[in-house]
Amino acid sequence: MPDHVKKAESAEDPTVNDMILYYFHRAIDHIKPNLRKIVDEERLLLSDELKKFRVEGILKLISNCTFLAEITYPVKTDCGGYDHITAYKVHHCMHKTPMFGGILLHPCITLEDVMGLSALNTFKSALLSIPFGGSQGAIRVDPEDYTDNDIQKITRRYIVELLKKNVIGPGIDCGLNDMNVGHQEISWMTDAYLKTFGSTDINASAIMTGKPTFGGGIHGKMSSVGWGIFYFLDCLLNKEFILEATCIEPGWKGKTFIVEGFGKVGRNAALCLKNAGAKMVGVIEKDSSIFDANGLDPQDLAAYKFTKKGLKGYPKGKAVPEGEIRSSECDILLLCAWHKSIKKSNADSIKAKIVVEGADAPITPAADKILRDKKILVVPDVCASGGSVASSYIEWLKNVQHVTFGRLPSSVERGCFYHILLSIVRFLTQFGKNLSAMNESLKKSVGEKASILLSEENRQKFFNTSEKDIIRRTLAKNLTDSACMVTKSAQEHKLGTNLRIAAYCKAIIRVFKSYQAAGLTV
């Protein structure tokens, strides 16, 4: 482990890149024998020394970014002035293409942060078995300092500058919505490609995900991270060794939670948890923090924030200092704001039983160690926030396949089903039988629950499945499988409840296998 990375273990404010690299090297310590075994299984005619070099070479590939870009360009603002904009683009691993990563707007973002986030996106995709590499884009601006028209100029120019370098495209690198980037910004950036380099590309709309539904997007994209957090947590709360470690009861009823960052991630996660039976007792936002032990309504909070452009003055709860709410007793603390919310200096004050990283890199390595020493379960970003990547993959598939999920397949299935059923009925009628008689006979032989006819519930699932239903069920399957796989990895490597290193172990092995199978550049 490099010295600058090792320092992240005790640093108060390490870079995001050093944080991700620190976890990467920690995971390598547990899986090196597995990696050597993967090389041995290939039956390559290599000496032991050369096999060792091969393992080290692939690990160097995974730990480094393949492309880094810092670009600057001028923009004339609506007030008549000229601003020099700084933006970034980073490609991490190209073991799979296209690469996928968010595009965010933030005044404090740095190249080191973008490098770390691109690596994190690689491991998120690998963990969910999504065939993408990892990337990340960012523009260093504060959206509150600019008009909507200014932001449109800034984002469109950003895409054009990247297209000049041929580093983005539907089959190269696709963007998705991240902090301060919503449907509108994604639409502008997609249109910038459609009107220029992508004017003859039939798959042009696949260059971005997070678009409005009428622009090639999917239903439920903005709420996908919230759903993903819920499904992952829901699976964990039924794992016996997790329940024993956290000393909490299974299920959601009676659970209390606090949300830090009430944007699209925090809001939707709060709604999912509340609908499952949990109670939100606190929320932390940049302008105000609200607490109410009797419970807060996420929908009412969201409506107030939309109307007033913030939570300041919210009448149905008590305004409390941010640090006081974060350190309040609760079952679950959702971190859905910005990087490094919990550091070495404030980690000891956390009293939640479970801390969930809904945002990217909200806990530093030093804080992570303090929390685990206090027997607090940390659900890492590489697992919890995977819903965004999973839903982006579905939208990308929709754009390149040019099919609307839940509409064409449903009508085709319905027609085929009735056609097949009609043929069966005619066949049975010819021999003097019918489906009802066969169904009754089957019940007598097997039992009352047996049936060859569709129940009303299954009929609804079969014929009335919408695109949103498909998205939600896919997320549930992906995140539940991911939770099972990570907990199994933790037990296999004897990591206890250290789900972060367990997840990195699994993700690194998958990326390693991909590079090993493809071979290395001579």
Side-chain angles (χ1 to χ4, degrees):
M1 185 184 298
D3 290 338
H4 69 93
V5 174
K6 195 170 183 179
K7 289 177 182 177
E9 184 177 15
S10 57
E12 171 69 13
D13 190 23
T15 67
V16 175
N17 191 43
D18 284 349
M19 289 167 60
I20 304 302
L21 284 175
Y22 172 76
Y23 299 134
F24 172 82
H25 286 285
R26 282 284 311 280
I28 293 300
D29 293 339
H30 293 277
I31 60 172
K32 265 201 171 178
N34 303 62
L35 303 181
R36 175 56 187 269
K37 189 177 179 182
I38 292 169
V39 174
D40 289 338
E41 287 173 352
E42 290 293 321
R43 297 180 181 178
L44 299 171
L45 298 177
L46 298 174
S47 66
D48 288 344
E49 187 179 17
L50 290 178
K51 287 180 179 179
K52 179 184 175 183
F53 290 159
R54 190 176 186 85
V55 170
E56 291 174 352
I58 295 176
L59 290 177
K60 283 180 182 177
L61 273 177
I62 301 173
S63 65
N64 287 283
C65 297
T66 57
F67 173 82
L68 306 171
E70 179 177 328
I71 54 179
T72 57
Y73 52 89
V75 170
K76 184 179 180 181
T77 61
D78 288 351
C79 67
Y82 291 85
D83 280 0
H84 214 58
I85 306 299
T86 300
Y88 308 100
K89 188 65 180 178
V90 173
H91 293 167
H92 183 242
C93 279
M94 298 182 70
H95 67 293
K96 302 281 187 184
T97 51
M99 287 161 287
F100 247 57
I103 296 175
L104 61 87
L105 308 179
H106 198 278
C108 300
I109 195 71
T110 66
L111 181 59
E112 287 279 330
D113 292 335
V114 180
M115 290 168 63
L117 295 174
S118 68
L120 187 59
N121 287 327
T122 293
F123 301 134
K124 283 183 186 179
S125 297
L127 197 61
L128 292 169
S129 299
I130 293 173
F132 290 145
S135 68
Q136 182 68 32
I139 306 174
R140 197 164 67 197
V141 296
D142 187 347
E144 294 182 0
D145 293 341
Y146 296 90
T147 65
D148 287 347
N149 191 46
D150 288 337
I151 294 296
Q152 180 175 184
K153 295 175 190 175
I154 290 167
T155 52
R156 283 180 178 272
R157 179 66 183 272
Y158 173 67
I159 292 302
V160 171
E161 291 297 324
L162 294 178
L163 288 167
K164 289 178 184 178
K165 296 172 175 56
N166 196 34
V167 294
I168 58 170
I172 303 170
D173 180 9
C174 307
L176 57 97
N177 53 296
D178 207 324
M179 192 171 195
N180 293 322
V181 173
H183 289 316
Q184 185 61 77
E185 291 80 9
I186 290 292
S187 293
W188 288 331
M189 289 187 277
T190 303
D191 187 66
Y193 178 62
L194 284 163
K195 295 291 197 299
T196 54
F197 294 76
S199 58
T200 59
D201 185 355
I202 192 173
N203 298 322
S205 59
I207 193 171
M208 292 285 162
T209 62
K211 302 179 290 292
T213 52
F214 52 80
I218 57 174
H219 290 85
K221 176 68 179 77
M222 285 300 175
S223 56
S224 60
V225 183
W227 287 348
I229 290 170
F230 169 74
Y231 291 131
F232 194 91
L233 267 177
D234 190 53
C235 184
L236 287 185
L237 290 179
N238 289 294
K239 296 289 182 183
E240 189 174 341
F241 84 99
I242 294 292
L243 297 175
E244 289 177 359
T246 54
C247 299
I248 61 174
E249 297 296 322
W252 290 100
K253 190 174 181 180
K255 299 289 188 301
T256 58
F257 67 94
I258 293 170
V259 180
E260 178 171 351
F262 204 66
K264 55 180 178 281
V265 176
R267 179 180 67 250
N268 286 294
L271 284 169
C272 289
L273 267 61
K274 182 180 181 294
N275 291 337
K279 179 172 67 174
M280 183 168 79
V281 295
V283 60
I284 300 170
E285 264 290 288
K286 58 184 177 181
D287 65 328
S288 181
S289 299
I290 311 295
F291 185 84
D292 188 349
N294 295 319
L296 296 165
D297 183 1
Q299 285 185 314
D300 189 58
L301 275 165
Y304 184 89
K305 182 183 175 183
F306 180 78
T307 305
K308 303 292 184 180
K309 307 300 180 186
L311 293 181
K312 192 173 183 178
Y314 183 69
K316 299 179 183 179
K318 182 182 177 183
V320 178
E322 174 184 324
E324 190 175 324
I325 292 185
R326 192 185 289 116
S327 59
S328 299
E329 289 189 8
C330 63
D331 293 308
I332 301 167
L333 173 60
L334 295 173
L335 302 176
C336 306
W338 185 237
H339 314 320
K340 295 174 277 189
S341 297
I342 299 181
K343 301 180 181 180
K344 185 178 180 179
S345 57
N346 64 353
D348 197 48
S349 66
I350 303 300
K351 297 175 185 174
K353 296 176 181 177
I354 301 175
V355 178
V356 183
E357 295 186 329
D360 290 333
I363 301 176
T364 65
D368 182 75
K369 185 178 185 303
I370 292 170
L371 294 177
R372 287 188 292 105
D373 288 343
K374 293 180 67 177
K375 308 299 182 186
I376 295 173
L377 176 69
V378 178
V379 181
D381 46 10
V382 69
C383 307
S385 60
S388 178
V389 178
S391 60
S392 290
Y393 180 44
I394 298 169
E395 183 174 335
W396 182 82
L397 286 174
K398 175 182 178 177
N399 295 155
V400 298
Q401 292 177 349
H402 308 282
V403 172
T404 299
F405 299 126
R407 183 176 296 175
L408 179 61
S410 179
S411 60
V412 171
E413 286 168 3
R414 181 181 296 198
C416 291
F417 179 80
Y418 280 133
H419 179 74
I420 294 167
L421 185 61
L422 185 61
S423 300
I424 293 172
V425 170
R426 286 173 177 170
F427 175 78
L428 293 173
T429 303
Q430 184 179 355
F431 288 91
K433 296 182 179 181
N434 57 59
L435 284 175
S436 297
M438 286 185 67
N439 198 50
E440 289 300 320
S441 176
L442 182 65
K443 285 185 176 182
K444 288 178 182 179
S445 302
V446 181
E448 282 297 319
K449 292 185 178 180
S451 177
I452 60 172
L453 302 176
L454 282 174
S455 66
E456 186 59 32
E457 182 183 357
N458 287 333
R459 188 183 297 276
Q460 291 295 323
K461 286 181 180 179
F462 191 83
F463 292 134
N464 298 321
T465 299
S466 66
E467 182 178 75
K468 195 170 186 176
D469 293 329
I470 293 171
I471 306 305
R472 185 169 290 193
R473 289 171 191 169
T474 303
L475 285 173
K477 168 90 172 118
N478 287 350
L479 272 298
T480 300
D481 288 351
S482 174
C484 293
M485 184 173 55
V486 170
T487 52
K488 184 179 178 181
S489 176
Q491 293 171 323
E492 178 185 342
H493 297 291
K494 298 179 181 179
L495 292 165
T497 57
N498 194 340
L499 302 183
R500 188 191 308 278
I501 302 303
Y504 272 79
C505 287
K506 197 68 181 178
I508 292 167
I509 287 173
R510 287 184 168 178
V511 178
F512 185 94
K513 283 182 176 179
S514 181
Y515 273 123
Q516 169 65 14
L520 300 178
T521 304
V522 177

